[in-house]
Amino acid sequence: SQQGEEDPQALSIQEGENATMNCSYKTSINNLQWYRQNSGRGLVHLILIRSNEREKHSGRLRVTLDTSKKSSSLLITASRAADTASYFCATNAYSGAGSYQLTFGKGTKLSVIP
Amino acid sequence: DAGVIQSPRHEVTEMGQEVTLRCKPISGHNSLFWYRQTMMRGLELLIYFNNNVPIDDSGMPEDRFSAKMPNASFSTLKIQPSEPRDSAVYFCASRRGTDTQYFGPGTRLTVL
């Protein structure tokens, strides 16, 4: 079953604006990760935030995690046309037998208009 | 590092044929994952291996799908016989420990 659910499903903004995407999940997690996928390409890892962290930054990316609400957000500041892609959150949780499994949401499709 | 390598990048086949997808994980990674991505169902985990041992294959759609990992540097996903509904992009990913997964470029499979 889908663990992470992104919101919104699609987002269209002007270049230079900020883009915020949200992710909600249902069970306890070890960490939460955000990935980006350009059309027709593989997924690229953007940032990982652990369950004991509340905020993390990487360049123009800012990720927050609220484990009490089981939610995360990804903020892209000063967006560029090249940021146009689908963004996925993935929750990493214990799946038994000493193993951890990533479960992906369906993604937010971001369009940045030049 | 070359990253996760998948082959072929594109595969077009006819219904009923056997299809074999290949993956070479990043050296030193001990977990390998096979995913399928479609517009309708999004990204689905099919199976994953930990230290070459299949841990969870509950995502494998049916018996027509099988996966092997004979050693730490190679895995295959086989579909026999293939059906049009198997058309999708198949991704392989690998990781070390419990952190970041690195994805391959994917194999776009079309079954006619």
Side-chain angles (χ1 to χ4, degrees):
Chain A
S1 63
Q2 294 290 346
Q3 165 78 306
E5 293 290 339
E6 291 91 343
D7 169 56
Q9 290 187 335
L11 179 62
S12 185
I13 59 173
Q14 294 288 330
E15 200 165 30
E17 294 180 340
N18 295 342
T20 299
M21 289 159 268
N22 302 297
C23 172
S24 60
Y25 59 93
K26 295 175 183 171
T27 63
S28 296
I29 62 171
N30 172 257
N31 62 61
L32 186 144
Q33 303 175 31
W34 285 91
Y35 287 78
R36 164 192 165 132
Q37 183 179 33
N38 286 79
S39 181
R41 310 285 289 273
L43 281 80
V44 175
H45 179 260
L46 294 176
I47 195 165
L48 178 153
I49 186 165
R50 300 188 190 282
S51 59
N52 61 352
E53 297 175 312
R54 291 297 166 256
E55 188 170 312
K56 205 158 183 182
H57 296 255
S58 176
R60 293 184 295 113
L61 305 180
R62 173 179 167 250
V63 169
T64 62
L65 179 64
D66 187 335
T67 52
S68 66
K69 294 181 180 178
K70 292 185 167 58
S71 67
S72 173
S73 67
L74 170 68
L75 168 68
I76 303 174
T77 59
S79 64
R80 304 167 183 168
D83 295 329
T84 295
S86 290
Y87 292 82
F88 294 86
C89 77
T91 51
N92 193 13
Y94 185 66
S95 57
S99 295
Y100 289 80
Q101 185 174 312
L102 264 189
T103 307
F104 285 80
K106 293 200 172 182
T108 292
K109 194 163 188 173
L110 173 66
S111 299
V112 181
I113 303 165
Chain B
D1 198 321
V4 176
I5 298 172
Q6 289 187 247
S7 65
R9 294 293 307 276
H10 301 272
E11 176 81 29
V12 180
T13 191
E14 292 188 345
M15 183 174 63
Q17 296 297 308
E18 177 180 295
V19 174
T20 299
L21 311 181
R22 297 173 176 79
C23 175
K24 177 178 169 54
I26 293 173
S27 177
H29 284 192
N30 61 339
S31 295
L32 183 141
F33 304 80
W34 282 101
Y35 292 87
R36 177 173 70 176
Q37 187 178 38
T38 61
M39 289 291 290
M40 291 295 292
R41 300 171 69 91
L43 195 63
E44 303 173 278
L45 176 66
L46 300 178
I47 185 171
Y48 78 95
F49 296 84
N50 201 30
N51 295 318
N52 311 339
V53 176
I55 300 299
D56 184 356
D57 64 355
S58 60
M60 296 285 261
E62 45 197 275
D63 291 345
R64 297 184 297 106
F65 286 69
S66 63
K68 293 182 180 179
M69 191 164 187
N71 57 63
S73 59
F74 183 66
S75 176
T76 59
L77 177 68
K78 188 176 291 187
I79 308 172
Q80 166 65 14
S82 58
E83 297 182 2
R85 60 194 168 117
D86 301 330
S87 297
V89 181
Y90 291 81
F91 289 103
C92 175
S94 70
R95 77 177 183 205
R96 178 167 46 206
T98 62
D99 289 347
T100 302
Q101 282 189 7
Y102 293 87
F103 281 76
T107 295
R108 184 173 295 275
L109 173 65
T110 303
V111 183
L112 303 173

